[in-house]
Amino acid sequence: MDRTSNRAALKIALIYIVLGTLWVVLSDSLTSTLAGDNVKLYEYLQRFKAWFFIAITGVILYVLVFQQTRTLLMKDEQLLSSEQHYQSLFMYNPDAVFELDTSGTILAINPEGQRLLGYENADIIGTKYHNIIAKEELEEVQKFFKYVLAGEPQQFDATILNRAGHRVLLRCTVIPIIVHQELKGVFGVARDITQIKQHEEAMIASEKLSIIGQLAASVAHEIRNPLTSLRGFVQLMQTTRELNDNHLHIMINEIDRINLIVSEMLVLGKEQKVDYSPHSVIGIVNSVYMLMKAEGNLHNIQLRLSGDQKDGRKVICNPNQLKQVFINLIKNSMEAMPDGGDIIMNIKYTPDKAEIAVIDNGAGISEKRLEKLGEPFYSTKEKGTGLGLAVSNRIIDQHDGTITFDSKVGIGTTVTVTLPIV
């Protein structure tokens, strides 16, 4: 602002000096030429040129000052209009909008932000943001704040505690305020997604229960086989009154097999807090394989594993949710092969990703239907709800991964889940 004022003043002063110098030189020369040796005429012309100069420079200065003043007034009007636009965006925004300084002190917060927090403006201004963040998430939020102070905009979810002590989940977008290449503070926009998150979790839980119910028949069939073997050996021992080590070894293996299948079902069905921690990819895939192999046998479908099965690399995940995704994908493949077929779970690694592909040789999906896969309530099956893939997409998105579909009618479908590895 000061630089602009200085430039304007300097511009006017220079114009005045240049014009004054030119006028003195030219007018003196012209006066001498016109007056010649006439002294009275020379004195008259000198007085006239002085008043004429005052008049001319007055007009010129008026024009210059008028233009500069009009320019400054226009800029002030634009600035005022811009400020009013900002105030409208700030005050009437349906999301919470806030401003922090570089130390994390709240400088401003809009009415929606006050409503979410339950505080009046006077009660919240001047406090630190970490006073309202849930303690278990504070360290993570502080990391994001440091990134923003380094000039990197951030988007993340964070839980706050409002004045009533209720937990509110916010989706936050935070950007740096940079003026003249200098960091002045932080702007943020936050949206309450508590109910959205609850609805997502309810949908995931509902889909999980549906999967467990559908698996029950095949798991019961799979358990019945080792139970039949155990019954036979027990009856044999009752008859012979003898213990055979080979028979006992087989019986223990059959019991272990039952225990493994039941354990996987219990883990899948158990309601848990959605925590994320490192888990091996092959461990998750093997668990799904054990559960779904029985289902495949019932429908004359051969389920096989391929790829790198010895690599123990891990992903940050909730293992139950990933199992739910793969079970859903395999069930979809099975339903596309009513007359039986083959399904391959292939594991492949890149330097920073794990790719798990579910490959079948079923009926395939047309390009038109592929475009709509994953939309809630859209299904290629007659009695399908379409929620299975919608839930799977959401789970993988929460794990910072992707799901891609590649299918050809009459040849089969490949669904590839890509996840970042630790």
Side-chain angles (χ1 to χ4, degrees):
M1 189 75 177
D2 290 340
R3 288 183 179 180
T4 303
S5 301
N6 287 334
R7 281 199 297 267
L10 183 61
K11 179 180 176 182
I12 293 173
L14 286 175
I15 291 174
Y16 182 81
I17 291 170
V18 170
L19 289 176
T21 303
L22 288 173
W23 174 259
V24 170
V25 173
L26 294 175
S27 63
D28 281 352
S29 176
L30 182 63
T31 301
S32 298
T33 302
L34 291 175
D37 296 331
N38 191 333
V39 176
K40 289 185 178 181
L41 179 59
Y42 180 80
E43 290 177 354
Y44 173 79
L45 290 175
Q46 285 288 86
R47 287 195 298 272
F48 175 78
K49 77 167 187 175
W51 290 108
F52 186 76
F53 177 75
I54 291 171
I56 290 297
T57 53
V59 171
I60 292 174
L61 285 173
Y62 171 80
V63 172
L64 288 173
V65 171
F66 175 80
Q67 287 181 339
Q68 292 296 327
T69 303
R70 186 175 64 173
T71 301
L72 290 173
L73 287 174
M74 287 176 64
K75 288 182 178 179
D76 286 343
E77 188 176 339
Q78 289 173 355
L79 184 61
L80 180 62
S81 176
S82 176
E83 186 175 343
Q84 289 176 347
H85 276 78
Y86 164 75
Q87 285 297 325
S88 294
L89 181 65
F90 182 81
M91 296 298 295
Y92 302 110
N93 200 309
D95 295 329
V97 183
F98 55 89
E99 180 183 352
L100 309 177
D101 66 14
T102 53
S103 68
T105 301
I106 299 173
L107 301 179
I109 187 165
N110 73 340
E112 176 61 15
Q114 296 171 39
R115 187 192 69 79
L116 284 178
L117 293 174
Y119 289 98
E120 295 295 329
N121 200 52
D123 297 327
I124 194 68
I125 299 301
T127 62
K128 299 290 186 180
Y129 75 88
H130 54 70
N131 292 336
I132 60 173
I133 301 293
K135 289 183 179 179
E136 68 274 12
E137 297 183 18
L138 180 57
E139 185 177 349
E140 190 70 17
V141 172
Q142 287 175 328
K143 288 181 183 178
F144 288 122
F145 187 71
K146 288 179 181 178
Y147 288 139
V148 177
L149 294 181
E152 302 176 20
Q154 297 292 313
Q155 188 173 60
F156 55 90
D157 294 348
T159 303
I160 64 167
L161 297 177
N162 63 17
R163 190 169 196 168
H166 298 148
R167 296 171 68 88
V168 181
L169 181 61
L170 301 179
R171 180 151 294 161
C172 306
T173 300
V174 186
I175 59 174
I177 303 172
I178 298 176
V179 181
H180 299 309
Q181 305 301 315
E182 184 180 348
L183 181 71
K184 295 294 186 180
V186 167
F187 270 134
V189 179
R191 175 171 295 180
D192 183 358
I193 61 167
T194 308
Q195 290 188 348
I196 295 174
K197 200 73 172 179
Q198 289 172 348
H199 292 159
E200 286 178 356
E201 291 174 358
M203 189 168 68
I204 290 172
S206 175
E207 178 64 18
K208 181 167 70 175
L209 289 175
S210 174
I211 288 173
I212 293 170
Q214 293 167 15
L215 286 176
S218 59
V219 170
H221 178 81
E222 184 72 4
I223 290 175
R224 185 180 297 162
N225 290 334
L227 284 176
T228 301
S229 298
L230 288 170
R231 181 181 177 82
F233 284 120
V234 170
Q235 287 175 335
L236 179 62
M237 285 188 288
Q238 281 180 329
T239 303
T240 62
R241 300 294 177 177
E242 293 179 358
L243 291 177
N244 185 303
D245 288 340
N246 290 331
H247 293 170
L248 290 174
H249 180 69
I250 294 172
M251 291 171 70
I252 289 172
N253 286 340
E254 293 297 290
I255 291 171
D256 288 342
R257 184 180 172 195
I258 293 172
N259 184 55
L260 178 61
I261 294 170
V262 172
S263 296
E264 289 296 340
M265 282 290 287
L266 289 174
V267 168
L268 185 63
K270 186 178 180 182
E271 186 172 348
Q272 296 178 327
K273 183 182 176 182
V274 181
D275 290 323
Y276 295 86
S277 55
H279 292 271
S280 72
V281 174
I282 188 61
I284 294 170
V285 171
N286 275 332
S287 296
V288 174
Y289 173 77
M290 288 299 302
L291 279 172
M292 298 306 295
K293 187 177 178 183
E295 179 92 357
N297 291 338
L298 278 181
H299 298 91
N300 194 29
I301 293 172
Q302 181 70 33
L303 179 62
R304 294 185 288 115
L305 294 178
S306 70
D308 196 341
Q309 299 176 46
K310 294 182 180 180
D311 195 317
R313 278 187 272 186
K314 298 180 179 181
V315 295
I316 301 294
C317 69
N318 178 274
N320 285 348
Q321 288 193 343
L322 288 189
K323 288 175 188 178
Q324 183 178 343
V325 169
F326 293 124
I327 288 172
N328 184 64
L329 295 179
I330 292 171
K331 282 187 63 63
N332 287 344
S333 292
M334 288 181 176
E335 290 169 2
M337 298 184 290
D339 299 324
D342 294 312
I343 298 176
I344 299 171
M345 293 187 74
N346 183 68
I347 304 171
K348 184 174 117 182
Y349 295 98
T350 65
D352 59 346
K353 304 282 185 184
E355 296 178 1
I356 305 96
V358 177
I359 307 163
D360 68 55
N361 57 356
I365 308 169
S366 67
E367 288 186 13
K368 187 175 181 181
R369 288 187 168 187
L370 269 178
E371 293 175 359
K372 294 187 176 182
L373 279 186
E375 294 181 7
F377 307 110
Y378 176 80
S379 176
T380 59
K381 296 171 282 189
E382 184 178 347
K383 295 183 180 179
T385 63
L387 289 177
L389 278 180
V391 169
S392 296
N393 274 333
R394 184 58 188 151
I395 289 173
I396 296 303
D397 183 60
Q398 290 173 344
H399 285 76
D400 295 325
T402 59
I403 298 183
T404 57
F405 299 87
D406 183 24
S407 186
K408 293 184 180 178
V409 176
I411 296 177
T413 302
T414 299
V415 184
T416 304
V417 175
T418 303
L419 298 165
I421 59 177
V422 180

